[in-house]
Amino acid sequence: MDIQFNKNEDYNKLLLSELKQRFAKVKLGGGQKRIDKHHAKGKMTARERIDYLLDKKKPSIEIAAFAGEDMYNEHGGCPSAGVVVKIGYVSGKQCIVVANDATVKAGAWFPITAKKNLRAQEISIENKLPIIYLVDSAGVYLPMQDEIFPDKEHFGRIFRNNAVMSSMGITQIAAVMGSCVAGGAYLPIMADEAMIVNKTGSIFLAGSYLVKAAIGETIDNETLGGATTHCEISGVTDYKAKDDKDALDTIKRTMGRIGNFDKAGYNRTEPKHPKLNQEEIFGILPESRAEQYDMMEIITRMVDDSEFDEYKAGYGQSLITGYARIDGWAVGIVANQRKLVKTKKGEMQFGGVIYSDSADKATRFIANCNQKKIPLVFLQDVTGFMVGSKSEHGGIIKDGAKMVNAVSNSVVPKFTVVIGNSYGAGNYAMCGKAYDPRLIFAWPSANLAVMSGNSAAKVLLQIETASLKKQGEKITPEKEEELYNTIKARYDNQISPYYAASRIWTDAIINPLDTRKWISMGIEAANHAPIEKPFNLGVIQV
């Protein structure tokens, strides 16, 4: 191993260490004091509930753990958006679990909480995956009600989805394990089956204080909407549990009785580990996002038996396309090649840039994967499409549009891994969030933005200096450097993978060595939902 490999390895493992530290902080939710208060009430935390519910010897993945990070500091913060979401297995059945974290503002819903819940339901709907709600929430966070209540993708969309999912035959199970107030009271009752924990669970449209204010009735919350009331008088809930574990055990038994699902039929053989050492990924991936490297070295350390059948290897070389297996599943891979390549015509193509021939190749390959019913995996490290007169005259816009068309209309499940850069239209063509990947996740080395920090800072600096000069201010070289550094620091914060993850532009930031698990569990989830429409590119310019 050379010195550069060792430097890369040290840098990337420091990024991984930072990821682990930040995740450890997120897992504390509202903090240890609030966790202790939660336990004192005889309640388990959201994460403890999920850990108890999920099968111990099966893998699981967490969706949007960093949602809400640094977004609501003026309101005291909202770690993990106040809700924990995991895909795992209950009684051998793959499902998605959504658990309110009552240590964060009593489980109140911030705008990002609604977005995260909707993302969980979207995953359930796309994959026809059973969903379990562990409810413990004070309802809408009132100081921000205008950003969560009335719009199409706000709080009310949750209940609309409950109804649609029920009509689709998607299993929904709910356990009321704490407060369930106002509009939120509809969520568990719109599930197929609902249970409530005695003494700690409660459901009502208006609590005792509001009832007193509204109609003058004096009543305590337990009599108003506790477990006995809803299991023996109103009939709102189906089961009364003595404590959290009893409720979770009931869910396990219920999930164990669910019948088999219709499979999409994606091809899977016996899984094999890569022959090449996966750990070497840390030394191959450069510290600088501008440095060149061979993406094929990453791919062969990610796929089964390190075996990759490259499609059109000598054509459109700034994109790598080909077939492989990941944890036994057949996949088609579209990846940005990050090294400088020389074409047969003697021309040089820059790594990370999509050229016309590359876009043309990718379009054809995506169509082939759809024809063969093979899921697609996009490995992003892209700076965008090639610019300049030669590219424009050669029809780069037309060829780029063909690729975007193919990605948009693809009917096989798509999975996107943001390894490095994810800039501009390259993000779109390589199946960014707007193009409906079943899962999109990033490595700690990822950057997501319209353009790189350096390029953006230079453009914004020109605008800023021109504005200041119009105001009569003299711009010295020192002043210009100060402005540049200020602008770049602000922009660099926005291209961070944590900035994207906090807004759920990606589903997670993961250890690169967990990539195979994420893709495998994603395809297994997608296998619950048979393809219902044919692949059709629509109108494209040839």
Side-chain angles (χ1 to χ4, degrees), residues 423 449 451-458 484 487-488 491-492 495:
Y423 296 150
M451 62 182 75
S452 72
N454 285 328
S455 299
K458 287 174 183 176
Y484 174 82
I487 292 168
K488 187 174 184 302
Y491 196 87
D492 282 346
I495 70 175

Side-chain angles (χ1 to χ4, degrees), residues 166-231:
S166 182
S167 73
M168 293 173 67
I170 297 171
T171 295
Q172 299 178 83
I173 301 170
V176 179
M177 312 180 84
S179 296
C180 188
V181 184
Y186 289 106
L187 186 149
I189 311 312
M190 294 186 75
D192 304 335
E193 295 186 80
M195 57 209 68
I196 184 169
V197 178
N198 195 29
K199 302 301 180 185
T200 56
S202 58
I203 309 172
F204 34 67
L205 296 181
S208 57
Y209 292 122
L210 187 52
V211 168
K212 176 71 172 176
I215 64 173
E217 181 183 1
T218 301
I219 190 170
D220 64 272
N221 283 338
E222 182 64 25
T223 306
L224 181 66
T228 299
T229 295
H230 286 309
C231 287

Side-chain angles (χ1 to χ4, degrees), residues 28-41:
L28 288 173
Q32 191 60 51
K33 286 184 178 180
R34 290 180 183 171
I35 290 173
D36 293 341
K37 286 183 179 179
H38 203 71
H39 287 159
K41 297 175 184 176

Side-chain angles (χ1 to χ4, degrees), residues 285-286 289 291 293 295 336-338 351-353 379-383 417-422 430:
L285 194 65
R289 295 276 51 82
E291 285 185 42
Y293 66 95
M295 180 63 82
N336 300 109
Q337 176 56 284
R338 279 308 313 266
V353 179
L379 304 180
Q380 287 194 2
D381 194 345
V382 58
T383 53
V417 188
V418 187
I419 290 175
N421 300 320
S422 181
M430 291 295 293

Side-chain angles (χ1 to χ4, degrees), residues 11-31:
Y11 177 76
N12 286 308
K13 287 193 172 179
L14 280 173
L15 291 182
L16 181 58
S17 177
E18 180 191 4
L19 171 64
K20 290 177 179 177
Q21 289 171 18
R22 293 175 79 145
F23 182 57
K25 183 179 178 182
V26 159
K27 285 175 72 175
L28 288 173

Side-chain angles (χ1 to χ4, degrees), residues 266-505:
Y266 302 118
N267 186 285
R268 192 180 196 187
T269 58
E270 189 67 27
K272 296 179 181 178
H273 293 291
K275 275 185 181 177
L276 299 175
N277 185 0
Q278 291 183 77
E279 289 272 354
E280 291 175 355
I281 286 172
F282 294 110
I284 294 165
L285 194 65
E287 175 179 344
S288 169
R289 295 276 51 82
E291 285 185 42
Q292 306 277 305
Y293 66 95
D294 189 353
M295 180 63 82
M296 192 67 79
E297 294 294 321
I298 302 289
I299 293 171
T300 52
R301 284 162 177 80
M302 189 183 296
V303 300
D304 288 16
D305 217 24
S306 297
E307 188 173 273
F308 182 71
D309 294 322
E310 190 170 2
Y311 173 83
K312 290 186 182 289
Y315 177 70
Q317 295 178 70
S318 74
L319 277 179
I320 297 172
T321 54
Y323 303 101
R325 290 188 182 274
I326 292 178
D327 200 37
W329 295 102
V331 296
I333 294 175
V334 181
N336 300 109
Q337 176 56 284
R338 279 308 313 266
K339 71 176 184 179
L340 195 68
V341 294
K342 190 174 184 178
T343 69
K344 296 294 183 183
K345 296 179 181 178
E347 299 170 337
M348 301 305 295
Q349 291 190 350
F350 296 100
V353 179
I354 302 175
Y355 291 76
S356 283
D357 55 356
S358 306
D360 176 65
K361 175 172 78 171
T363 302
R364 175 79 179 187
F365 180 71
I366 290 166
N368 271 332
C369 287
N370 276 270
Q371 180 83 354
K372 297 175 176 68
K373 204 159 77 171
I374 298 174
L376 283 158
V377 175
F378 293 83
L379 304 180
Q380 287 194 2
D381 194 345
V382 58
T383 53
F385 286 88
M386 190 58 189
V387 296
S389 60
K390 186 176 180 180
S391 291
E392 297 293 359
H393 297 170
I396 185 68
I397 295 176
K398 177 182 69 176
D399 291 319
K402 284 160 58 178
M403 182 177 174
V404 169
N405 193 315
V407 172
S408 303
N409 286 299
S410 177
V411 296
V412 295
K414 300 169 289 191
F415 302 90
T416 302
V417 188
V418 187
I419 290 175
N421 300 320
S422 181
Y423 296 150
N427 168 283
Y428 300 161
M430 291 295 293
C431 198
K433 183 66 181 287
Y435 292 80
D436 299 322
R438 296 293 176 97
L439 293 172
I440 176 170
F441 47 94
W443 290 2
S445 48
N447 286 336
L448 290 86
V450 172
M451 62 182 75
S452 72
N454 285 328
S455 299
K458 287 174 183 176
V459 172
L460 293 168
L461 178 64
Q462 291 178 42
I463 297 169
E464 182 74 11
T465 52
S467 175
L468 291 171
K469 284 176 181 177
K470 280 184 180 180
Q471 297 171 30
E473 188 171 335
K474 185 179 179 181
I475 306 298
T476 64
E478 293 77 18
K479 176 68 174 176
E480 187 171 297
E481 183 180 1
E482 181 188 340
L483 283 170
Y484 174 82
N485 290 335
T486 301
I487 292 168
K488 187 174 184 302
R490 183 172 67 243
Y491 196 87
D492 282 346
N493 176 59
Q494 293 179 3
I495 70 175
S496 157
Y498 294 96
Y499 191 90
S502 71
R503 288 152 182 79
I504 319 183
W505 299 343

